[in-house]
Amino acid sequence: PYYIDLNQNLYLQACLHNSDPNLKVVVDTCVASPDPHDFNTLAYYLVKNGCPRDPSYATFYSPSSHFARFKFNAFEFMSRHPSVYLKCQMLVCRLGDYSSHCYQTCSTRAKRDTSS
């Protein structure tokens, strides 16, 4: 376990262990749960499908495309759950492949009906 105070920033880094310099890694989905075996019943999404869901979530520049760096504020699932577990899924794409999901931007605008 890693112990931190409530509301303290938690910094993470994911690293792709591959010698191909033409690969890029990004955070796709990162979910937290008080149960390390169940990330569905009581789950809190920090990032979902590449879109930040938590206001404290932020990404950081990395000098290498093989690293994805991000942070968020520590929180708790009510006082009866003393631990929080994370499960993050990463995407690996070809560097410069702008049609891949790695380069898709997250749109937070609401969609409107185009009918009259």
Coordinates of all heavy atoms in Angstrom, one line a residue, residues 52-105:
P52 N -11.3 13.1 -19.1 CA -11.2 13.3 -17.7 C -12.6 13.4 -17.1 O -13.5 14.1 -17.6 CB -10.5 14.6 -17.5 CG -9.7 14.7 -18.8 CD -10.6 14.1 -19.8
R53 N -12.9 12.7 -15.9 CA -14.1 12.8 -15.2 C -14.0 13.4 -13.9 O -15.0 13.8 -13.3 CB -14.7 11.4 -15.0 CG -15.0 10.6 -16.3 CD -16.2 11.4 -17.0 NE -16.6 10.8 -18.3 CZ -17.6 10.0 -18.5 NH1 -18.3 9.6 -17.5 NH2 -17.8 9.5 -19.7
D54 N -12.8 13.6 -13.4 CA -12.5 14.2 -12.1 C -11.9 15.5 -12.3 O -10.9 15.6 -13.1 CB -11.6 13.3 -11.3 CG -11.4 13.8 -9.9 OD1 -10.5 14.7 -9.7 OD2 -12.0 13.4 -8.9
P55 N -12.4 16.6 -11.7 CA -11.8 17.9 -11.9 C -10.3 18.1 -11.5 O -9.6 18.9 -12.0 CB -12.7 18.9 -11.1 CG -13.4 18.0 -10.1 CD -13.5 16.6 -10.7
S56 N -9.9 17.2 -10.6 CA -8.5 17.3 -10.2 C -7.5 16.5 -11.1 O -6.3 16.6 -10.9 CB -8.3 16.8 -8.7 OG -8.5 15.4 -8.7
Y57 N -8.0 15.8 -12.0 CA -7.2 15.0 -12.9 C -6.5 15.9 -13.9 O -7.1 16.8 -14.5 CB -8.0 13.9 -13.7 CG -7.2 13.2 -14.7 CD1 -6.6 12.0 -14.3 CD2 -7.2 13.6 -16.0 CE1 -5.8 11.3 -15.3 CE2 -6.4 12.9 -17.0 CZ -5.8 11.7 -16.6 OH -5.0 11.0 -17.5
A58 N -5.2 15.7 -14.1 CA -4.4 16.4 -15.1 C -3.3 15.6 -15.7 O -2.8 14.7 -15.0 CB -3.8 17.7 -14.5
T59 N -3.0 15.8 -16.9 CA -1.9 15.1 -17.5 C -0.7 16.0 -17.6 O -0.8 17.3 -17.5 CB -2.2 14.6 -19.0 OG1 -2.6 15.8 -19.7 CG2 -3.4 13.6 -19.0
F60 N 0.5 15.4 -17.7 CA 1.7 16.2 -17.7 C 2.6 15.8 -19.0 O 2.5 14.7 -19.4 CB 2.6 15.9 -16.5 CG 2.0 16.5 -15.2 CD1 1.3 15.6 -14.4 CD2 2.1 17.8 -14.9 CE1 0.7 16.1 -13.3 CE2 1.5 18.3 -13.7 CZ 0.8 17.4 -12.9
Y61 N 3.3 16.8 -19.4 CA 4.2 16.6 -20.5 C 5.3 15.5 -20.2 O 5.7 15.5 -19.0 CB 4.9 17.9 -20.9 CG 6.1 17.7 -21.9 CD1 5.8 17.5 -23.2 CD2 7.4 17.6 -21.4 CE1 6.9 17.3 -24.1 CE2 8.5 17.4 -22.3 CZ 8.2 17.2 -23.6 OH 9.2 17.0 -24.5
S62 N 5.6 14.7 -21.1 CA 6.7 13.7 -21.0 C 7.6 13.9 -22.1 O 7.2 14.0 -23.3 CB 6.1 12.3 -20.9 OG 7.1 11.4 -20.9
P63 N 8.9 13.8 -21.9 CA 9.9 13.9 -23.0 C 9.9 12.7 -23.9 O 10.4 12.7 -25.0 CB 11.2 14.1 -22.3 CG 11.0 13.5 -20.9 CD 9.6 13.7 -20.6
S64 N 9.3 11.6 -23.5 CA 9.2 10.4 -24.2 C 7.8 10.0 -24.4 O 7.0 10.0 -23.5 CB 10.0 9.3 -23.5 OG 9.7 8.0 -24.2
S65 N 7.4 9.5 -25.7 CA 6.1 9.1 -25.9 C 5.8 7.7 -25.2 O 4.7 7.3 -25.2 CB 5.9 8.9 -27.4 OG 6.8 7.9 -28.0
H66 N 6.8 7.1 -24.6 CA 6.6 5.8 -23.9 C 6.2 6.0 -22.5 O 6.0 5.0 -21.8 CB 8.0 5.1 -23.9 CG 8.2 4.4 -25.2 ND1 9.1 3.3 -25.3 CD2 7.8 4.6 -26.5 CE1 9.1 2.9 -26.6 NE2 8.4 3.7 -27.3
F67 N 6.0 7.3 -22.1 CA 5.5 7.6 -20.7 C 4.2 8.3 -20.8 O 4.1 9.3 -21.6 CB 6.5 8.4 -19.9 CG 7.8 7.6 -19.6 CD1 8.9 7.7 -20.5 CD2 7.9 6.9 -18.5 CE1 10.1 7.0 -20.2 CE2 9.1 6.2 -18.2 CZ 10.1 6.2 -19.1
A68 N 3.3 8.0 -19.9 CA 2.0 8.7 -19.7 C 2.1 9.2 -18.2 O 2.2 8.4 -17.3 CB 0.8 7.9 -20.0
R69 N 2.0 10.5 -18.0 CA 2.1 11.1 -16.7 C 0.8 11.8 -16.3 O 0.3 12.6 -17.2 CB 3.3 12.0 -16.6 CG 4.6 11.3 -16.8 CD 5.8 12.3 -16.8 NE 7.1 11.6 -16.8 CZ 8.2 12.3 -17.0 NH1 8.3 13.6 -17.2 NH2 9.3 11.6 -17.0
F70 N 0.3 11.6 -15.1 CA -0.9 12.2 -14.7 C -1.0 12.3 -13.2 O -0.2 11.7 -12.5 CB -2.1 11.5 -15.3 CG -2.3 10.0 -14.9 CD1 -3.1 9.6 -13.9 CD2 -1.5 9.1 -15.5 CE1 -3.3 8.3 -13.5 CE2 -1.7 7.7 -15.2 CZ -2.5 7.3 -14.2
K71 N -1.9 13.1 -12.7 CA -2.1 13.3 -11.3 C -3.6 13.5 -11.0 O -4.4 13.8 -11.9 CB -1.3 14.5 -10.8 CG -1.8 15.8 -11.2 CD -2.6 16.5 -10.1 CE -3.1 17.9 -10.5 NZ -4.2 18.4 -9.6
F72 N -4.0 13.2 -9.7 CA -5.3 13.5 -9.2 C -5.2 13.7 -7.7 O -4.2 13.3 -7.1 CB -6.3 12.5 -9.6 CG -6.0 11.1 -9.0 CD1 -6.6 10.7 -7.8 CD2 -5.2 10.2 -9.7 CE1 -6.3 9.5 -7.3 CE2 -4.9 9.0 -9.2 CZ -5.5 8.6 -8.0
N73 N -6.3 14.3 -7.1 CA -6.3 14.4 -5.7 C -6.8 13.2 -5.0 O -7.8 12.6 -5.5 CB -7.2 15.6 -5.3 CG -6.6 16.9 -5.6 OD1 -5.4 17.1 -5.9 ND2 -7.4 18.0 -5.5
A74 N -6.2 12.8 -3.9 CA -6.6 11.6 -3.2 C -7.9 11.9 -2.5 O -8.3 13.0 -2.1 CB -5.6 11.3 -2.1
F75 N -8.8 10.8 -2.5 CA -10.1 10.9 -2.0 C -10.4 9.6 -1.3 O -9.7 8.7 -1.3 CB -11.1 11.2 -3.1 CG -11.1 10.1 -4.1 CD1 -12.0 9.1 -4.1 CD2 -10.3 10.2 -5.2 CE1 -12.0 8.1 -5.0 CE2 -10.3 9.2 -6.2 CZ -11.2 8.2 -6.1
E76 N -11.6 9.6 -0.6 CA -12.0 8.3 0.1 C -13.5 8.0 -0.3 O -14.2 8.9 -0.7 CB -11.9 8.5 1.6 CG -12.8 9.5 2.2 CD -12.7 9.5 3.7 OE1 -11.9 8.8 4.3 OE2 -13.4 10.3 4.3
F77 N -13.8 6.7 -0.3 CA -15.2 6.3 -0.6 C -15.9 6.2 0.8 O -16.0 5.1 1.4 CB -15.2 4.9 -1.2 CG -14.8 4.9 -2.7 CD1 -13.6 4.6 -3.1 CD2 -15.8 5.1 -3.6 CE1 -13.3 4.6 -4.5 CE2 -15.5 5.1 -4.9 CZ -14.3 4.9 -5.4
M78 N -16.3 7.3 1.3 CA -16.9 7.3 2.6 C -16.0 6.8 3.7 O -15.0 6.1 3.4 CB -18.2 6.5 2.6 CG -19.2 7.1 1.6 SD -20.6 6.0 1.4 CE -20.0 5.0 0.0
S79 N -16.3 7.0 4.9 CA -15.3 6.7 6.0 C -15.2 5.2 6.3 O -14.3 4.7 6.9 CB -15.7 7.4 7.3 OG -17.1 7.1 7.7
R80 N -16.2 4.4 5.8 CA -16.2 3.0 6.1 C -15.2 2.2 5.1 O -15.1 1.0 5.2 CB -17.6 2.4 6.1 CG -18.3 2.4 4.7 CD -19.6 1.7 4.8 NE -20.2 1.6 3.6 CZ -21.1 2.4 3.0 NH1 -21.4 3.5 3.7 NH2 -21.6 2.2 1.8
H81 N -14.7 2.9 4.1 CA -13.7 2.3 3.2 C -12.4 3.0 3.3 O -12.2 4.0 2.7 CB -14.2 2.4 1.7 CG -15.6 1.8 1.5 ND1 -15.7 0.4 1.5 CD2 -16.8 2.3 1.3 CE1 -17.0 0.1 1.2 NE2 -17.7 1.3 1.1
P82 N -11.5 2.4 4.1 CA -10.2 3.1 4.4 C -9.2 3.1 3.2 O -8.3 3.9 3.1 CB -9.6 2.4 5.5 CG -10.2 1.0 5.4 CD -11.6 1.2 4.8
S83 N -9.4 2.2 2.2 CA -8.5 2.1 1.1 C -9.2 2.4 -0.2 O -10.4 2.1 -0.4 CB -7.9 0.7 1.0 OG -7.2 0.4 2.2
V84 N -8.4 2.9 -1.2 CA -8.9 3.1 -2.5 C -7.9 2.4 -3.5 O -6.7 2.5 -3.4 CB -8.9 4.6 -2.9 CG1 -9.3 4.8 -4.3 CG2 -9.9 5.3 -2.0
Y85 N -8.5 1.6 -4.4 CA -7.7 0.8 -5.4 C -7.9 1.4 -6.8 O -9.0 1.8 -7.1 CB -8.1 -0.7 -5.4 CG -7.9 -1.3 -4.0 CD1 -8.8 -1.3 -3.0 CD2 -6.7 -1.9 -3.8 CE1 -8.6 -1.8 -1.8 CE2 -6.4 -2.5 -2.5 CZ -7.4 -2.5 -1.5 OH -7.2 -3.0 -0.3
L86 N -6.9 1.4 -7.6 CA -7.0 1.9 -8.9 C -6.8 0.9 -10.0 O -6.0 -0.1 -9.7 CB -5.9 3.0 -9.2 CG -5.9 4.3 -8.4 CD1 -4.7 5.1 -8.7 CD2 -7.2 5.0 -8.7
K87 N -7.5 1.0 -11.1 CA -7.3 0.1 -12.2 C -7.3 1.0 -13.4 O -8.3 1.7 -13.7 CB -8.4 -0.9 -12.3 CG -8.2 -1.9 -13.5 CD -9.1 -3.0 -13.5 CE -10.4 -2.7 -14.2 NZ -11.3 -3.8 -14.4
C88 N -6.1 1.1 -14.1 CA -6.0 2.0 -15.3 C -5.7 1.1 -16.5 O -5.0 0.2 -16.5 CB -4.9 3.0 -15.1 SG -5.2 4.1 -13.7
Q89 N -6.4 1.5 -17.6 CA -6.2 0.9 -18.9 C -5.5 2.0 -19.8 O -5.9 3.1 -19.9 CB -7.5 0.5 -19.5 CG -8.1 -0.6 -18.7 CD -9.5 -1.0 -19.3 OE1 -10.3 -0.1 -19.6 NE2 -9.8 -2.3 -19.4
M90 N -4.5 1.5 -20.5 CA -3.7 2.4 -21.4 C -3.9 2.0 -22.8 O -4.3 0.9 -23.1 CB -2.2 2.3 -21.1 CG -1.9 2.4 -19.6 SD -2.6 3.9 -18.9 CE -1.3 4.6 -18.1
L91 N -3.7 2.9 -23.7 CA -3.7 2.7 -25.1 C -2.3 2.8 -25.7 O -1.6 3.7 -25.3 CB -4.6 3.7 -25.9 CG -6.1 3.5 -25.7 CD1 -6.8 4.7 -26.4 CD2 -6.6 2.2 -26.1
V92 N -1.9 2.0 -26.6 CA -0.7 2.1 -27.3 C -1.0 2.3 -28.8 O -1.7 1.5 -29.4 CB 0.2 0.8 -27.1 CG1 1.5 1.0 -27.9 CG2 0.5 0.7 -25.6
C93 N -0.5 3.3 -29.3 CA -0.7 3.7 -30.7 C 0.6 4.0 -31.4 O 1.6 4.3 -30.8 CB -1.7 4.9 -30.8 SG -3.2 4.7 -29.9
R94 N 0.5 4.1 -32.8 CA 1.6 4.5 -33.6 C 1.7 6.0 -33.4 O 0.8 6.8 -33.5 CB 1.4 4.2 -35.0 CG 1.6 2.7 -35.3 CD 3.0 2.5 -35.9 NE 3.3 1.1 -35.8 CZ 4.4 0.6 -35.3 NH1 5.4 1.4 -34.9 NH2 4.6 -0.7 -35.2
L95 N 2.9 6.5 -33.2 CA 3.2 7.9 -33.1 C 2.9 8.6 -34.4 O 3.3 8.1 -35.4 CB 4.7 8.1 -32.7 CG 5.2 9.4 -32.1 CD1 4.4 9.7 -30.8 CD2 6.7 9.4 -31.9
G96 N 2.1 9.6 -34.3 CA 1.8 10.4 -35.5 C 0.6 9.8 -36.3 O 0.2 10.4 -37.3
D97 N -0.1 8.7 -35.8 CA -1.3 8.2 -36.4 C -2.5 9.0 -35.9 O -3.1 8.5 -34.9 CB -1.4 6.7 -36.2 CG -2.6 6.1 -36.8 OD1 -3.4 6.8 -37.5 OD2 -2.9 4.9 -36.6
Y98 N -2.8 10.1 -36.5 CA -3.8 11.0 -36.0 C -5.2 10.4 -36.1 O -6.2 11.0 -35.6 CB -3.7 12.4 -36.6 CG -2.3 13.0 -36.3 CD1 -1.3 13.0 -37.2 CD2 -2.1 13.5 -35.0 CE1 -0.1 13.6 -36.9 CE2 -0.9 14.1 -34.7 CZ 0.1 14.1 -35.6 OH 1.3 14.6 -35.2
S99 N -5.4 9.3 -36.8 CA -6.7 8.7 -36.8 C -7.0 7.8 -35.7 O -8.1 7.3 -35.4 CB -6.9 7.9 -38.2 OG -6.0 6.8 -38.2
S100 N -5.9 7.5 -34.9 CA -6.1 6.5 -33.8 C -6.7 7.2 -32.5 O -6.7 8.5 -32.5 CB -4.7 6.0 -33.3 OG -3.9 7.0 -32.7
H101 N -7.2 6.4 -31.6 CA -7.8 6.9 -30.4 C -6.9 7.7 -29.6 O -7.3 8.6 -28.8 CB -8.5 5.8 -29.6 CG -9.3 6.2 -28.5 ND1 -10.5 6.9 -28.7 CD2 -9.1 6.1 -27.2 CE1 -11.0 7.2 -27.5 NE2 -10.2 6.7 -26.5
C102 N -5.6 7.5 -29.6 CA -4.6 8.2 -28.9 C -4.6 9.7 -29.1 O -4.2 10.5 -28.3 CB -3.2 7.7 -29.1 SG -2.8 6.1 -28.4
Y103 N -5.0 10.1 -30.3 CA -5.0 11.5 -30.7 C -6.4 12.1 -30.7 O -6.5 13.3 -31.1 CB -4.3 11.6 -32.1 CG -2.9 11.4 -32.1 CD1 -2.3 10.1 -32.4 CD2 -2.0 12.4 -31.8 CE1 -1.0 9.9 -32.4 CE2 -0.6 12.2 -31.7 CZ -0.1 10.9 -32.0 OH 1.2 10.7 -32.0
Q104 N -7.4 11.4 -30.4 CA -8.7 11.9 -30.3 C -8.9 12.8 -29.1 O -8.4 12.5 -28.1 CB -9.8 10.8 -30.2 CG -9.7 9.7 -31.3 CD -10.0 10.3 -32.7 OE1 -10.9 11.1 -32.9 NE2 -9.2 9.9 -33.6
T105 N -9.4 14.0 -29.4 CA -9.6 14.9 -28.3 C -11.0 14.6 -27.6 O -11.9 14.1 -28.3 CB -9.6 16.4 -28.7 OG1 -10.6 16.6 -29.7 CG2 -8.2 16.7 -29.3

